[in-house]
Amino acid sequence: MIVKRQAMWGAEHSMDTDRMWMAEAIAEAKKGREGGGIPIGSVLVSQGRIIGRGHNQRVQRENPILHAEMVAIQDAGRLRASTYSESTIYTTLSPCTMCAGTIILYKIPRVVIGENRTVQNLTLCEDWLIEHGVGVVNLDLHECIKLMQVFVTDSPEIWHEDVGV
């Protein structure tokens, strides 16, 4: 099932294109898990190419702000505001408040997420993004849900540390 919040598929965006870029974010999530971390991945796409990629590295680098979206934006480097304003960020899990705030700050107009079921209160961040004019698409992908379910079951201590439970 695909959940659309705001109309966001235009000539430059299609479900097939979104799934293609999300596959890259999923690959990043798998890298993160293989490295002993949390399986969340992200890519920043502009003009049909990935300009930044990353996976959650909070565990690997012992840094609480290295969420996948933050790493992808950092990987993109210094960019003109016009580049951000025509980009889409893909993330396997709905952004938290820190990542949503960064998306709003840099005026990234579109976010495509793999799932938002794992952390229920993240839908509030989606609403906040929409209130700030950001288009949000939830692909609700079983693969993303499964990555997180397996992680939460296998590593509850890390998961609860990250989400503050």
Side-chain angles (χ1 to χ4, degrees):
M1 174 176 95
I2 295 174
V3 178
K4 289 197 301 185
R5 298 174 78 183
Q6 291 190 349
M8 283 150 302
W9 275 300
E12 69 280 3
H13 304 292
S14 72
M15 192 174 359
D16 290 339
T17 302
D18 283 344
R19 287 181 183 271
M20 176 184 73
W21 295 125
M22 184 58 69
E24 294 290 329
I26 291 169
E28 285 294 322
K30 289 177 179 176
K31 281 184 200 174
R33 186 62 186 133
E34 290 164 6
I38 302 166
I40 304 169
S42 184
V43 294
L44 183 63
V45 175
S46 183
Q47 296 185 346
R49 68 182 184 88
I50 294 173
I51 59 173
R53 62 174 58 239
H55 51 271
N56 187 302
Q57 295 179 38
R58 191 186 64 75
V59 173
Q60 298 92 320
R61 298 191 48 204
E62 296 187 17
N63 186 325
I65 65 170
L66 291 181
H67 289 200
E69 300 91 336
M70 303 298 279
V71 175
I73 291 168
Q74 182 180 21
D75 183 58
R78 291 179 58 201
L79 301 172
R80 293 183 148 313
S82 60
T83 302
Y84 289 113
S85 70
E86 60 189 20
S87 297
T88 297
I89 193 159
Y90 293 82
T91 181
T92 58
L93 181 66
S94 189
C96 69
T97 53
M98 176 179 64
C99 297
T102 302
I103 290 164
I104 291 167
L105 177 68
Y106 285 97
K107 296 179 176 53
I108 298 170
R110 189 165 182 271
V111 178
V112 179
I113 63 175
E115 68 107 343
N116 67 358
R117 297 182 190 200
T118 300
V119 181
Q120 295 303 314
N121 67 350
L122 291 183
T123 58
L124 297 174
C125 293
E126 293 171 28
D127 294 339
W128 187 47
L129 286 164
I130 291 167
E131 288 170 13
H132 283 83
V134 177
V136 177
V137 175
N138 179 4
L139 298 177
D140 197 32
L141 296 175
H142 177 74
E143 184 174 9
C144 293
I145 295 166
K146 187 71 174 168
L147 277 169
M148 291 307 299
Q149 285 175 339
V150 169
F151 172 74
V152 170
T153 299
D154 290 350
S155 302
E157 68 289 344
I158 295 172
W159 177 245
H160 293 305
E161 173 189 310
D162 192 45
V163 298
V165 176

